[in-house]
Amino acid sequence: MGNILLLEPASLTKRRLVAESFSTLKKASEPSLVDITKRLREVRDYSVAHRDALIKEAVATLQACSGVKVVISTDTGQAVSRIREISGDSPIAINKSAVIMRELMGPLVTAGFSIIESYYDEFKSFEGRFNEYWQLPKMNADSLSHSFENPIDLSTLRNRNTGSNGSRDFVGLLGVNAISATDGSVVMFQHMSNIGKIVEQAKEIILVASLDKIVKNLDDAIFQTKCMALFGSEALPLSLHVNTSRKESIDDMPFLKSKDTTKEIHLILFDNGRSNILQSEYKDILACIGCRACLKDCPASKFFDKKVRLSPKEYLHSFLVGTSNSLKRCLQCKNCEADCPLHIDVSGMILQARTKQSGCRPLSDHLLSKAELLEKTGSSLSWLAGRVSDNKILRWLGEKMVGISKERPVPKMQHTTFTRWFET
């Protein structure tokens, strides 16, 4: 197969040098954020429109290479069975890829796998400081776009390390960010060093790529992976949690007595409902690169699922593939569309799916989608709106008749708006 390439942020010193150079002189050829998002949309539209052809080309390319075994798994059951065939009872070290954490993690735990969340080797004292979207630190997109080293060839590093030191007694299970159909190269991004350590030290490597991650060529694969890091950095802290159950680390795994480590790489191309979505009115979510930028300003994300923090796109995907049965927690605020670099209308698709499920559009959706009209009406009738919002019986009736929870805080309406105040 092609190389396993890894992108990671440059060192702090190099980032500062880059920032200084661009603070004094900005190159004319430097792409703007608008240029980046435009190219990203072109890459993703091509990937969605030519998905079947790209899958066929990628599989043919990979099968022609020595040292790789590729299978297509239609659902989580097939993927888990394949992982069991390869790993046996060995512990599995994973990265924080969405396809691993939010599609395979639950079934793997249920199947009795011993999971090592390698990411937390880098955050041993993490205390979950970022629980709300307004707590997130702001990132500078310009500096982030220049903070990458050249891709690291993990295949070479793995062969060199295992040849000298052997491998440890665990299996690496890694979700990838992109695959090049033309040469079979796999591209991943890491924020710290956990992915590199897994590839270098694991006795077996299993890569998982959802079918929508296959792109035309290596340039597109690298570009898409950089965009994933660029647009997803701000939301990253919301994905971390206090890992109180963590018992093992990669560093705790013993080295195998024999230095004969398999040279094969196992690649699972993962469908999990994506083929059905491609044929539906929701196919635009397959253009998503998985950056999770839509999580950044979502006020409802922590209520989507009790076990993991889902982004709005993941919330919709879990409903479409049948792992959840409700989309009622979305507030239709449309922050997700504003934050998405591709401006995918996730909230619109959630509303469409919710309406299709119930057979009609709920009255609460009609009201909440016309917030400006409600505010104008409430301002004109502020005396009445205040009494309604403070009356527990009326709030209870509103929940039963309209579907707006009586526990939801309602803003106080003022007759004198800011505009009226300013004009006077």
Side-chain angles (χ1 to χ4, degrees):
M1 67 182 296
N3 294 326
I4 302 175
L5 301 178
L6 183 68
L7 295 171
E8 61 182 4
S11 66
L12 180 60
T13 301
K14 289 185 178 180
R15 288 202 301 271
R16 284 175 176 168
L17 289 173
V18 170
E20 289 173 3
S21 66
F22 280 95
S23 66
T24 57
L25 178 63
K26 191 171 183 179
K27 295 181 179 179
S29 61
E30 178 191 354
S32 67
L33 207 55
V34 173
D35 295 330
I36 291 173
T37 54
K38 180 180 178 181
R39 182 187 170 190
L40 180 60
R41 172 50 85 171
E42 291 171 354
V43 169
R44 295 308 305 148
D45 283 348
Y46 184 92
S47 180
V48 173
H50 300 83
R51 196 202 71 150
D52 291 343
L54 289 173
I55 293 172
K56 185 177 180 180
E57 181 181 3
V59 170
T61 301
L62 291 164
Q63 289 179 339
C65 299
S66 60
V68 60
K69 289 187 176 181
V70 56
V71 297
I72 297 178
S73 295
T74 58
D75 53 34
T76 55
Q78 288 186 3
V80 170
S81 296
R82 178 59 178 157
I83 294 168
R84 176 68 77 187
E85 290 175 11
I86 299 166
S87 64
D89 295 325
S90 297
I92 293 180
I94 63 174
N95 63 343
K96 282 193 70 64
S97 161
V99 72
I100 301 295
M101 295 299 297
R102 279 160 283 281
E103 296 186 56
L104 288 174
M105 180 72 156
L108 287 171
V109 171
T110 301
F113 284 85
S114 176
I115 306 294
I116 301 172
E117 294 187 60
S118 64
Y119 207 89
Y120 292 97
D121 288 348
E122 316 286 344
F123 295 97
K124 294 182 180 179
S125 60
F126 180 75
E127 297 177 354
R129 291 175 294 153
F130 303 104
N131 296 312
E132 306 293 346
Y133 64 96
W134 61 78
Q135 298 172 328
L136 292 174
K138 294 298 179 183
M139 303 287 186
N140 186 300
D142 287 335
S143 62
L144 279 171
S145 63
H146 298 291
S147 66
F148 300 100
E149 299 274 12
N150 291 326
I152 300 168
D153 183 359
L154 287 183
S155 305
T156 301
L157 290 179
R158 174 171 173 77
N159 292 336
R160 182 187 307 159
N161 185 73
T162 55
S164 301
N165 304 315
S167 58
R168 292 182 184 268
D169 190 15
F170 73 91
V171 172
L173 179 65
L174 303 170
V176 308
N177 299 117
I179 294 181
S180 164
T182 56
D183 68 351
S185 290
V186 171
V187 187
M188 292 181 283
F189 175 81
Q190 69 174 7
H191 293 91
M192 302 298 284
S193 62
N194 62 311
I195 293 177
K197 288 176 64 177
I198 289 174
V199 175
E200 288 184 23
Q201 299 181 23
K203 66 179 183 179
E204 297 269 7
I205 298 294
I206 307 172
L207 303 177
V208 181
S210 55
L211 294 179
D212 50 310
K213 295 295 186 183
I214 303 175
V215 296
K216 183 166 54 175
N217 53 44
L218 182 56
D219 284 344
D220 285 352
I222 292 175
F223 173 75
Q224 178 173 297
T225 303
K226 285 186 176 183
C227 286
M228 189 272 178
L230 169 63
F231 295 109
S233 294
E234 276 193 17
L236 174 65
L238 289 177
S239 301
L240 301 174
H241 60 85
V242 180
N243 194 8
T244 55
S245 63
R246 180 178 172 276
K247 297 179 181 180
E248 293 181 316
S249 162
I250 290 175
D251 297 332
D252 298 329
M253 298 295 102
F255 279 99
L256 299 174
K257 293 181 180 180
S258 171
K259 291 187 178 181
D260 293 332
T261 302
T262 177
K263 302 296 183 182
E264 290 181 336
I265 299 295
H266 305 274
L267 177 62
I268 298 175
L269 297 178
F270 191 46
D271 191 335
N272 197 27
R274 288 169 174 84
S275 293
N276 292 331
I277 293 173
L278 183 64
Q279 306 303 321
S280 73
E281 60 267 46
Y282 311 106
K283 69 177 183 179
D284 199 34
I285 68 166
L286 297 179
C288 170
I289 61 172
C291 68
R292 309 190 83 215
C294 58
L295 174 66
K296 185 173 63 175
D297 293 314
C298 178
S301 63
K302 66 179 181 179
F303 304 109
F304 288 159
D305 190 283
K306 295 180 180 179
K307 298 179 181 179
V308 294
R309 189 89 175 229
L310 295 178
S311 69
K313 177 260 181 175
E314 292 162 348
Y315 184 50
L316 174 60
H317 181 265
S318 64
F319 175 82
L320 295 177
V321 300
T323 54
S324 71
N325 56 12
S326 173
L327 292 172
K328 293 182 178 179
R329 291 183 173 86
C330 171
L331 301 178
Q332 289 294 302
C333 67
K334 291 193 174 292
N335 284 345
C336 52
E337 183 181 1
D339 287 331
C340 175
L342 298 170
H343 300 295
I344 298 172
D345 186 12
V346 176
S347 61
M349 286 187 279
I350 287 177
L351 180 57
Q352 185 176 5
R354 201 153 65 184
T355 302
K356 189 174 182 179
Q357 183 186 38
S358 62
C360 62
R361 189 176 181 184
L363 181 57
S364 59
D365 286 344
H366 278 287
L367 293 174
L368 292 174
S369 64
K370 293 179 172 56
E372 186 176 356
L373 177 62
L374 284 175
E375 289 166 1
K376 287 181 178 179
T377 305
S379 177
S380 301
L381 302 172
S382 57
W383 60 273
L384 178 60
R387 293 188 178 185
V388 171
S389 64
D390 292 333
N391 189 296
K392 293 182 179 179
I393 296 177
L394 292 177
R395 292 290 300 276
W396 179 83
L397 286 173
E399 180 179 67
K400 298 300 180 183
M401 297 174 64
V402 181
I404 299 177
S405 172
K406 65 180 185 296
E407 304 297 332
R408 176 177 287 181
V410 178
K412 298 294 183 182
M413 298 295 179
Q414 301 293 331
H415 179 71
T416 304
T417 65
F418 178 79
T419 303
R420 292 171 186 162
W421 171 84
F422 185 79
E423 290 175 348
T424 57

